[in-house]
Amino acid sequence: KKQIYPMVLSCVVMACVAMACVAAQALAQTLAQPSTPVDAPTMTLPYTPGLDISAMDRSADPCEDFYQYTCGGWMANNPIPADQSSWSVYGKLYQDNQRFLWGILQSLSKADEKRTPDQQKIGDYFSACMDVQTIDALGIRPLEPVLNQIAAIRSKSEIPALLGRLHFGGSGGDLFFSVGPTQDFADSTRMITMADAGGLGLPDRDYYTRDDDNTKTLRDKYRQHVAAILKLAGQAGDTDQTAAQIFAFEDRLARASLTKVERRDPKALFHNMTEGELQAVTPQFVWKEYFKALGLKKPGTINVAEPAFYRAFDSAIDQTDLATLKSYMIWHVVHDHAAVLSKDFVDAAFDFYGRSLRGVPEQKPRWKKCVALVDNQLGEALGKEFTRRVFPAALKKQTVHMTAQIETAMAGEIQALDWMSEPTKRRALEKLHAIVNKIGYPDKWRDYSRLKIARDDFFGNALRADEFDSRRQLAKIGKPVERGEWGMTPQTVNAYYDPQMNDINFPAGVLQPPLYDPAMDDAPNYGNTGGTIGHELTHGFDDEGRQFDAKGNLTDWWAPADEEKFNTRAQCIVDQYAQYTVIDDIRINSKLTLGEDIADLGGIILALIAWQDETQHKDLKPIQGLTPEQRFFVGYAQWACENKRPEQMRLNAATDPHSPGRYRVNGLVANVPQFARAFMCKPGQPMAPVKTCSVW
């Protein structure tokens, strides 16, 4: 997402729900069985049941390994596709949605005067993106005006103004650093400027600092990749040496950056300054010229997320020769635009970021890339087309009902806590009742009328869309917060909680089978979708979210004794998940995954309470050899079925705040006594340990 948030939005998945058994007719028509090949557009979504018996391994003992019991069949029958680094239930639904969007875009790509303005834009963008013959013939030429501006720099003093222009136009990515709008930690009603760390080509600062053999090998391949891109871009001289110099510069920035665990503490990212105070931090970089070129003559209050990074950045600029700085800028500009350039750049980018970093054997077909680009740059225009086909009012009503039940369960749990004092409980309930639920799609759609899209100018479309979004984002600074805005498109297969907006968001894309299945009984729907709703709700009270009050302000509203008790309970989860191995000798970084692990545990408990409330007057009977309680837990677990390549597992261990799917199931149910009763586990079995953890 281009919008800058002070914290990473807390999502149910990194790349993420049911009640009635009768579906609305519009939805039933859309959820038809696929009649087209996998790599072909479709105008229907394939149906997968919310609880799939064939995905299970009934030979496994659920009390020994519940993940194998629920997902063993799925893992055996779903090898990772050649163009994927991992494959999962979420990933399959994402691809199904992509094929559906492909069908929409292909139909709208045909010139037709009956198309609405938004339909014209998304259709023509897709058409231009699919015209690989024209794109390949252009090569690097569309980017040459920007590269020439960089090459023309004669002094370091020219960098701030040029960087401002690049950031404003969307051509700079997070070159050196990133600047954009954010809610003020001290006053969540207003948008201020945020200056954050950035400037790296590897996924995380730890890739520059770790000394294990895998990381060293990746660093070598990264330097080779930088050299290859510079050659493709027409840079003269010894590109291997230049790449080494670029890496050394990035290494300085990386070592001055906070770790992902350190960034999980919002107080560590809260440093409001004036422009003059920021200038004192970086005396070599003239912010007045940068902000003027960025279009921010009065940036106002600036939250400098990582002051130590900016001091290191200023020193690195001062101590690095101009030629290296220009090469660094050229590398990042080309890298950031590789996806919209000719095939040789696309192939080179995939060779490192796909094959080396994630272990993916083959590139995604062109249609997937183009669907993703439309989603990224014209997401709400595409979302209109998606939601009117697959998200009827009845589905939204059912989800709203379930969400209300989950919130009622949370209120009951807070009131019943034996470790929290009454004053803190009152503040917690105040926050809970202030949470806003956004279901399906925004109430107000984004206006793209000022964005020009041409069916014969793919690179220009991408650049204009970047500038359009940059203008939109920068225009927020100094204004009240627009609380109706979404951070995900409606077709996204995910959900999130925003601690400053104090809202939970469930796009229509995640409310499709098998994650939410109107044709299924309540148990798996509450286990899956209810667990997701409870997960996002609990994020408001995890180790990060709990630091924000009902209005989204970063403030201490906990009694000291309550905070200490919370931390003790959270440490139990840290200690538990730290014992789980991801791959080789790499264990879960449980301080990084703590928030998601807490949310998982809270989510399933709340969903269980809500399901019991929903079905208390119903005559529940076993189905397919599973009791209602067992169907609840299997329904929960099957969303997490996945296979991952070793390279992706190592990458996730370093960067993903979520635990692997196996432990998001096994580690979770081991803390839920109702699970042990449902499957008649004996005390001391792996899924029924003597010591358990609980927070909410």
Side-chain angles (χ1 to χ4, degrees), residues 264-307:
R264 294 198 72 253
D265 178 5
K267 293 185 178 69
L269 305 177
F270 182 25
H271 309 96
N272 282 3
M273 299 183 184
T274 64
E275 182 181 344
E277 289 170 332
L278 174 57
Q279 188 61 68
V281 173
T282 59
Q284 305 300 321
F285 188 86
V286 182
W287 286 97
K288 183 177 182 180
E289 294 182 8
Y290 171 82
F291 284 128
K292 180 180 178 181
L294 190 64
L296 283 178
K297 294 181 180 180
K298 295 181 179 180
T301 301
I302 305 165
N303 182 3
V304 183
E306 299 189 29

Side-chain angles (χ1 to χ4, degrees), residues 32 93 143 165 185 241 260 305 358 372 597 607 623 639 643 654 670:
L93 177 56
L143 200 55
R165 292 195 297 273
F185 275 137
Q241 181 179 354
K260 286 192 176 295
R358 293 180 169 83
D597 297 333
I623 302 175
W639 76 261
N643 287 311

Side-chain angles (χ1 to χ4, degrees), residues 391-401 439-441 443 511:
F391 198 69
L395 178 54
K396 182 168 184 174
K397 182 178 180 180
Q398 291 166 353
T399 312
V400 168
H401 171 68
I439 309 294
Y441 51 87
D443 292 331
L511 297 171

Side-chain angles (χ1 to χ4, degrees), residues 184 264 303 314 327 400 427 446 505 570 598 611 648 665:
D184 188 353
R264 294 198 72 253
N303 182 3
D314 195 63
S327 295
V400 168
R427 297 294 298 274
R446 189 164 300 164
N505 302 255
I598 290 175
W611 172 67
Q648 185 65 47
V665 172

Side-chain angles (χ1 to χ4, degrees), residues 64 175 182 211 221-222 226 261-262 402 461 489 518 591 597 628 634:
E64 294 291 322
L175 183 61
T182 191
D211 287 325
K221 291 182 177 180
Y222 174 65
V226 174
V261 172
E262 290 169 335
M402 183 182 286
N461 291 339
T489 62
K591 292 181 179 179
D597 297 333
V634 172

Side-chain angles (χ1 to χ4, degrees), residues 189-263:
T189 66
R190 67 170 187 159
M191 298 297 287
I192 63 172
T193 305
M194 185 172 189
D196 207 348
L200 308 182
L202 286 169
D204 182 62
R205 51 96 60 198
D206 288 355
Y207 278 84
Y208 296 83
T209 61
R210 289 200 314 244
D211 287 325
D212 60 278
D213 291 340
N214 279 320
T215 305
K216 289 179 180 178
T217 298
L218 275 174
R219 283 200 290 263
D220 288 340
K221 291 182 177 180
Y222 174 65
R223 284 185 284 260
Q224 294 167 14
H225 170 62
V226 174
I229 289 292
L230 292 174
K231 280 185 179 179
L232 280 176
Q235 299 302 296
D238 186 345
T239 55
D240 289 332
Q241 181 179 354
T242 303
Q245 293 165 342
I246 290 172
F247 180 85
F249 180 80
E250 290 185 0
D251 185 66
R252 294 186 66 167
L253 300 184
R255 292 177 185 275
S257 304
L258 295 178
T259 67
K260 286 192 176 295
V261 172
E262 290 169 335
R263 287 182 64 89

Side-chain angles (χ1 to χ4, degrees), residues 496-527:
Y496 72 91
Y497 169 78
D498 187 321
Q500 288 196 270
M501 298 288 276
N502 196 25
D503 62 15
I504 51 179
N505 302 255
F506 298 94
V510 81
L511 297 171
Q512 307 297 323
L515 302 181
Y516 176 88
D517 184 359
M520 190 63 57
D521 56 296
D522 288 324
N525 275 324
Y526 273 80

